[in-house]
Amino acid sequence: SRDTHTSTRRNQLFGSMSYFTGGWAGSHHLKAGGEAIRFHVHESWLSAAPGNVLHVMSGGGPSSVLIFATPSSSEAGLWTYSAYASDAWRLKNRLTLTLGLRFDRYRLFLPAQAHPPSGQQFDAVPNLVDWNTFVPRIAAVYDLTGRGTTLAKFSLARYRPAPNAATAFNSNPNAAIWWTRHRWLDPDGSGLREPGEEETAPLARP
């Protein structure tokens, strides 16, 4: 009886460049790049339960009802800006060091949106919250035999968990699904909520 639709859009732009150079201190492979990602999610609910009412029973009797306000829709998104640079430095024929650094900036946003049943409008929030992260990349490869048959490798890196649009949904005043919970009386004992059988004041709401 639930009818929900989710659409996502992920726009991405990225690029990188490399430069090779050498000298008395060894050869270098310098690499730098970056990317920008816009992740947008649109979630819609056309129905949430039969008749948009969920009955809650306790001990075989009526307890409460959840009344859903559909259709409803909610939108949220995330911008990610990243840049990285590294140097693969070959000191001698048997040793190569790779040193790098990565930068990521995350920005959660909310597009302008509305809740159709109530007509309530929500203005766009271009920057709901933002934060930056810097993480290192270090690696070394050493040729133990000098013939390329046995290599010793070492690497050290730190990876930050990347958020997604669900983080913005959690802070969105326009919930994807709107509901109120009321105490249910059911005076006729039908086992089905009928208009007027619930107390007016809600027990809870999203």
Side-chain angles (χ1 to χ4, degrees):
S1 59
R2 293 184 176 184
D3 188 357
T4 176
H5 300 261
T6 301
S7 62
T8 62
R9 187 177 182 89
R10 183 184 177 97
N11 302 104
Q12 183 176 10
L13 176 67
F14 62 91
S16 65
M17 60 181 180
S18 295
Y19 178 74
F20 298 87
T21 184
W24 66 269
S27 62
H28 297 265
H29 174 196
L30 303 172
K31 187 175 182 179
E35 64 181 2
I37 301 175
R38 185 182 187 272
F39 187 37
H40 175 262
V41 181
H42 187 174
E43 183 177 348
S44 300
W45 284 73
L46 302 181
S47 64
N52 281 324
V53 177
L54 178 64
H55 300 79
V56 180
M57 311 294 287
S58 177
S63 175
S64 61
V65 290
L66 277 74
I67 302 177
F68 299 92
T70 58
S72 60
S73 64
S74 182
E75 300 179 58
L78 167 70
W79 272 103
T80 300
Y81 311 93
S82 303
Y84 61 89
S86 65
D87 178 14
W89 180 16
R90 188 173 184 181
L91 293 163
K92 297 182 179 181
N93 289 335
R94 299 175 66 174
L95 177 63
T96 300
L97 299 177
T98 301
L99 309 174
L101 183 67
R102 181 181 177 91
F103 164 77
D104 291 288
R105 176 175 175 80
Y106 303 104
R107 176 167 62 87
L108 300 174
F109 69 91
L110 300 175
Q113 50 201 290
H115 179 54
S118 66
Q120 188 173 354
Q121 302 288 324
F122 299 89
D123 295 332
V125 182
N127 190 349
L128 184 64
V129 65
D130 62 74
W131 65 97
N132 305 321
T133 65
F134 292 88
V135 290
R137 299 285 191 268
I138 303 172
V141 178
Y142 185 73
D143 185 353
L144 296 176
T145 63
R147 298 189 300 272
T149 57
T150 306
L151 304 177
K153 297 183 179 182
F154 166 83
S155 63
L156 174 66
R158 189 171 186 178
Y159 297 88
R160 301 281 189 179
N164 56 34
T167 309
F169 273 113
N170 294 336
S171 303
N172 194 346
N174 179 31
I177 180 65
W178 289 58
W179 55 269
T180 54
R181 185 171 182 170
H182 300 262
R183 192 179 306 281
W184 176 34
L185 304 177
D186 193 25
D188 60 2
S190 65
L192 294 175
R193 173 260 180 185
E194 299 172 27
E197 291 188 345
E198 71 278 359
E199 292 185 351
T200 304
L203 298 173
R205 63 178 73 245

